[in-house]
Amino acid sequence: MSDPAAAPAEGASDFIREFVKEDLASGRYASVRTRFPPEPNGWLHIGHTKAFNLSFSVAREFGGSCNLRFDDTNPEKEDQSYVDAIKRDIRWLGYEWGENEFYASDYFEKLYQYAVMLIRKGKAYVDDLSDEQIREYRGTAVPDRNNITMTPPGRDSPWRDRGVEENLDLFARMREGEFPDGSRTLRARIDMAHPNLNMRDPVMYRIKRETHYRVGDAWCIYPMYDFQHPLSDAMEGITHSLCSLEFENHRPLYDWFIRECEAFPSRQIEFARLNITYTVLSKRWLQRLVSEGLVDGWDDPRMPTLSGLRRRGYTPEAVRDFLSRIGLAKTNSMVEIQLLEHCLREDLNKRARRAMAVLKPLRLIIENWPAGTVEQLDAVNNPEDESAGTRRIPFSGELWIERDDFAEVPPPKYFRLFPGNSVRLRYGYIVTCTGFDKDPATGEITAVRCTHDPDTRGGNAPDNRKVKGTIHWVSAAHAVPIEARLFEHLFPNERPMEVPAGVDWVSTVDRGSKQVVGGWGEPCLADAAAGDSFQFERLGYFCLDPDSRPGKPVFNRSVSLRDSWAKIERKQA
RNA sequence: UGGGACGUAGACAAGCGGUAAGUCAGCGGUUUUUGGUUCCGCCAUUCGCAGGUUCGAACCCUGCCGUCCCAACCA
């Protein structure tokens, strides 16, 4: 407890770490053990990372350990595939749990014995009330004249005072499968007048004939969260059980079960869950996006799932950096997605190789280029990392440039290509625009013409004249065709869940949030492997998608570069 | 005539009775062969509001206001 090694390594500090420190100092606990308890009924999203990053980090910082425990007590929706996906995603973010992998379903027998213990103590009883009756007896909330919700005290179930022996017998027969689904429950005997609804004799067990993905048909009664969770924590010797705010109302119950079962006194501490603008962080909502085909599956790069972020090109480092920046508190908060994007840019800027690619191609013809000549030019792979080295790029008399980099009539402050103006072709030559070709029928610019200054090879002018603009390009004869998938936020609204009455939030999904375009890339892009990240100069960061085929790489735009020109344009408009 | 929490800048968030950190966003400028990056400035006389205690209050007390959560045999 006076061990200096117990101090947080990274200097992270928040109210939970304060509590942990106090608990160690006071001797309440001798060491730290946390847990991350996902239910295997869906994919992990970035909201979950806040929770498991916290529990794993706190454990590590205080020299303890963190268990991965699957909270699999509802066989209806759980499946092994989710277990596998969850494990894969946690590892991806960089956490390992070694031998500490547990399943609440492994505790079914022990939990049953705890329930028997509570029955013997007169603290639990078998109830014959139906679910509707239970709800009614619990006390239905009614709006008063000020429309404030109030809840009258509940009434005792007529079965509440059954004798211990009868309860024991009935509970055993529930387990044996003598009663139909839903016909009886085991309830904790606490206080039907308690102001906290959770304390009004919560259900501990329900009868449900459903095959469980791990224990099969061994059980037809399954424990409820409120009973199972504290005892699972206790059995694992969890000291600090960290969970989100909505469980605050359950803490008295959590403590009650542990106390009455005389189990290890785990401490539950709640914190605010993560919300991010322009997206939704709820399994149910994400599930709907998938099932209604609004996205291309759980790993669609627009999804906030870890598999989606990974496919989008997010790195574990960027996600962890994000988590370290959002802080930890009990205030309900909505983090701007710009912060997440900033973290990605910052990470990729240091690590991603640069490459040139043109996404809205326009032909550039260098009129004074010696016909048939091809030159190999040197290019830096990453100006932020000298060790990344250099590469050669072919240059010739016909190039692809970005359509946005030419203007027939330049707007104010535009310093790209327009008739009479000079720009530098990155790593190439300084060229001067001599004209352009236009389709007389459509008015579309079909090619831009220019001359190059042979003395500026590499981009430097011997006379040191300054050229304001530098644009990217790809040699037409050497370009590899690429597909680029450009993503925008899934929702146009900062808070997609807050829709006007009568509007289905699903209808607000931006159908144009995924845009597929064809373009041209420099030759090195043909050799990219799935998952490789590049910065396409002046455009953004792109990650090779597994949909790529030989000769046809597909790139997902992870995030665009900051674009101050776009801001100027916006102001001018 | 319910219970549990939370209110510090546009968004997060430090602050723990001694006179408002930091980050993102935004704005202005610097550097730059990416309108990227870097770097430098600016951005809360005030902490939901009103009283009170104190030499001194974002921090303590009282009242009020606002927001969130709770009425699954889900977790």
Side-chain angles (χ1 to χ4, degrees), chain A residues 356-359 361 400 474-476 478-482 518-522 525:
Chain A
M356 292 199 284
V358 173
L359 265 24
W400 290 115
V474 175
S475 170
H478 308 86
V480 304
I482 63 171
W520 299 101
E522 65 171 88
L525 293 178

Side-chain angles (χ1 to χ4, degrees), chain A residues 296 300 302 485-488 510-516:
Chain A
D296 306 323
D300 184 300
R302 291 167 293 177
R485 296 175 179 171
L486 311 178
F487 304 109
E488 301 294 339
D510 179 2
R511 304 296 187 124
S513 55
K514 173 186 176 185
Q515 193 196 342
V516 179

Side-chain angles (χ1 to χ4, degrees), chain A residues 324-451:
Chain A
S324 75
R325 292 184 193 228
I326 58 173
L328 185 71
K330 294 188 71 163
T331 318
N332 284 311
S333 60
M334 175 72 71
V335 176
E336 293 177 339
I337 199 167
Q338 286 86 338
L339 179 58
L340 215 209
E341 294 172 341
H342 166 83
C343 293
L344 213 217
R345 287 194 187 101
E346 188 170 79
D347 187 43
L348 257 19
N349 178 49
K350 288 179 302 199
R351 317 163 63 184
R353 287 153 58 198
R354 312 285 127 125
M356 292 199 284
V358 173
L359 265 24
K360 284 189 282 182
L362 174 61
R363 194 171 292 272
L364 179 70
I365 298 165
I366 304 173
E367 295 177 307
N368 62 340
W369 186 260
T373 306
V374 175
E375 288 190 3
Q376 296 294 328
L377 302 172
D378 290 309
V380 172
N381 284 333
N382 186 348
E384 308 292 322
D385 176 12
E386 213 174 305
S387 71
T390 61
R391 68 186 185 286
R392 303 272 231 188
I393 313 174
F395 185 96
S396 64
E398 248 187 67
L399 312 174
W400 290 115
I401 62 169
E402 211 68 57
R403 205 159 265 278
D404 293 345
D405 289 339
F406 172 79
E408 185 178 349
V409 181
K413 292 182 183 164
Y414 186 86
F415 47 81
R416 277 114 96 149
L417 225 37
F418 54 86
N421 193 229
S422 299
V423 298
R424 175 168 29 241
L425 295 171
R426 174 137 242 230
Y427 300 124
Y429 291 87
I430 292 174
V431 297
T432 303
C433 180
T434 54
F436 55 91
D437 301 345
K438 190 188 253 187
D439 182 325
T442 64
E444 188 193 12
I445 309 285
T446 54
V448 175
R449 299 180 174 274
C450 68
T451 55

Side-chain angles (χ1 to χ4, degrees), chain A residues 410-414 565-573:
Chain A
K413 292 182 183 164
Y414 186 86
W565 169 244
K567 270 180 209 162
I568 294 169
E569 273 187 313
R570 238 177 287 132
K571 277 183 202 161
Q572 288 173 353

Side-chain angles (χ1 to χ4, degrees), chain A residues 30-140:
Chain A
S31 59
V32 173
R33 185 172 281 257
T34 57
R35 108 268 90 117
F36 175 58
E39 184 187 11
N41 69 343
W43 280 259
L44 257 26
H45 55 67
I46 191 165
H48 298 288
T49 66
K50 180 175 181 180
F52 71 79
N53 170 70
L54 206 218
S55 283
F56 277 102
S57 297
V58 164
R60 195 191 55 238
E61 289 162 22
F62 289 91
S65 56
C66 179
N67 294 352
L68 170 60
R69 180 176 70 236
F70 290 94
D71 235 351
D72 53 356
T73 55
N74 182 7
E76 265 174 65
K77 298 169 183 166
E78 297 159 2
D79 190 84
Q80 183 63 36
S81 67
Y82 295 120
V83 171
D84 299 337
I86 288 168
K87 287 159 67 173
R88 178 200 63 205
D89 287 346
I90 295 174
R91 288 202 175 97
W92 177 73
L93 230 226
Y95 293 104
E96 253 316 320
W97 51 92
E99 300 299 298
N100 300 321
E101 179 174 323
F102 302 103
Y103 295 80
S105 54
D106 285 345
Y107 304 146
F108 282 168
E109 185 59 40
K110 285 178 185 161
L111 290 166
Y112 180 86
Q113 294 307 329
Y114 271 121
V116 167
M117 173 183 176
L118 290 178
I119 293 172
R120 288 219 165 90
K121 290 175 72 173
K123 298 289 187 178
Y125 62 97
V126 171
D127 195 358
D128 298 1
L129 256 30
S130 68
D131 53 351
E132 302 89 49
Q133 290 176 126
I134 287 179
R135 199 175 312 132
E136 184 193 324
Y137 275 68
R138 187 127 54 199
T140 307

